[in-house]
Amino acid sequence: DVKVTQSSRYLVKRTGEKVFLECVQDMDHENMFWYRQDPGLGLRLIYFSYDVKMKEKGDIPEGYSVSREKKERFSLILESASTNQTSMYLCASLPGTAYNEQFFGPGTRLTVL
Amino acid sequence: GDSVTQMEGPVTLSEEAFLTINCTYTATGYPSLFWYVQYPGEGLQLLLKATKADDKGSNKGFEATYRKETTSFHLEKGSVQVSDSAVYFCALSDPTQGGSEKLVFGKGTKLTVNP
């Protein structure tokens, strides 16, 4: 079974802190994604990566950056956390073939105080 | 751009009731369509999918048919169980929009099934 793990289930940070959310997948998938999930807004794509060191902006990249130094790991970085970044963050991975399902991690609920 | 619209929730049903969650989409090409489910405290998992018009996806008693003429992909189940309580997301991927890898999600519909 494909496994996507995220470093924390719950995280509490203070405004202005630098925050790292880590995601690891064990199936050698080319593509990885970061979403945020908010009530009434569904899932919105922040960034995605289709190869090591490659990244593309999604729909809401402002205030975020990403890093993919190894194929299995995709990190989301909040350079200076703000209260409006309080949300559920979901990581997903996808094989290179079109039309396959994305595999999701359990999510990290981030609260910024 | 592409978009997905699904019925607003929450939806509350009694066990063994019939379920329909409506989903319509807008896409410029020929998208693949998906239903994902999120159980409480978990990430999303694929429930079913359809890759071309008139395809029917099915899994765990749930079904959805890709209707190109009505741009719809409604989710149905004949008899829901308490264990079906979850949030359901309709989604599409459209290879004409700069990469088949990206998913566009609806806002989600929360289903609660009471015993």
Side-chain angles (χ1 to χ4, degrees), chain A residues 44-95:
Chain A
R44 293 178 291 168
L45 182 63
I46 304 171
Y47 267 98
F48 70 102
S49 169
Y50 50 88
D51 202 350
V52 175
K53 297 191 186 295
M54 306 301 286
K55 61 186 180 185
E56 282 199 26
K57 294 179 180 180
D59 300 317
I60 51 163
E62 297 78 18
Y64 303 95
S65 62
V66 290
S67 172
R68 193 159 180 211
E69 296 297 319
K70 294 184 178 181
K71 193 173 188 180
E72 67 270 19
R73 187 179 297 271
F74 191 35
S75 303
L76 180 69
I77 304 156
L78 287 66
E79 295 289 342
S80 178
S82 63
T83 55
N84 63 13
Q85 293 179 309
T86 292
S87 187
M88 170 71 86
Y89 290 88
L90 292 167
C91 174
S93 73
L94 174 75

Side-chain angles (χ1 to χ4, degrees), chain B residues 37-40 81-88 111-114:
Chain B
V37 59
Q38 184 179 35
Y39 297 105
Q81 305 300 312
V82 172
S83 57
D84 293 326
S85 298
V87 181
Y88 293 82
L111 170 67
T112 301
V113 180
N114 294 318

Side-chain angles (χ1 to χ4, degrees), chain B residues 7-25:
Chain B
M7 65 186 285
E8 298 280 329
V11 174
T12 302
L13 296 173
S14 297
E15 211 165 20
E16 299 184 3
F18 184 84
L19 169 70
T20 300
I21 301 178
N22 290 336
C23 172
T24 57
Y25 68 89

Side-chain angles (χ1 to χ4, degrees), chain A residues 9 31 33 35 37 40-43 45 48 56-57 88 90 94-96 98-107, chain B residues 30-32 34 36 38 41-46 49 51 87 89 93-95 98 100-108:
Chain A
R9 293 299 301 270
N31 304 286
F33 306 81
Y35 298 90
Q37 180 182 7
L41 297 177
L43 273 75
L45 182 63
F48 70 102
E56 282 199 26
K57 294 179 180 180
M88 170 71 86
L90 292 167
L94 174 75
Y99 306 128
N100 274 306
E101 65 178 283
Q102 288 190 17
F103 295 86
F104 283 81
Chain B
Y30 300 93
S32 290
F34 306 82
Y36 280 81
Q38 184 179 35
E42 298 183 14
L44 275 69
Q45 54 186 273
L46 181 69
K49 67 179 181 182
T51 57
V87 181
F89 292 91
S93 70
D94 184 352
S100 60
E101 302 85 2
K102 289 195 283 186
L103 283 171
V104 176
F105 285 91
K107 293 183 178 180

Side-chain angles (χ1 to χ4, degrees), chain A residues 3-42:
Chain A
K3 191 154 183 155
V4 180
T5 56
Q6 296 183 228
S7 50
S8 306
R9 293 299 301 270
Y10 300 93
L11 208 52
V12 179
K13 295 292 181 180
R14 298 212 173 269
T15 301
E17 279 193 77
K18 190 168 186 175
V19 181
F20 292 87
L21 303 183
E22 304 286 339
C23 175
V24 177
Q25 51 95 1
D26 66 357
M27 282 302 290
D28 203 37
H29 288 174
E30 280 81 6
N31 304 286
M32 296 187 75
F33 306 81
W34 275 106
Y35 298 90
R36 65 177 282 176
Q37 180 182 7
D38 300 289
L41 297 177

Side-chain angles (χ1 to χ4, degrees), chain A residues 59, chain B residues 1-5 25-29 92 94 96-98 102 104:
Chain A
D59 300 317
Chain B
D2 295 348
S3 65
V4 174
T5 302
Y25 68 89
T26 303
T28 53
L92 68 81
D94 184 352
T96 64
Q97 291 296 304
K102 289 195 283 186
V104 176

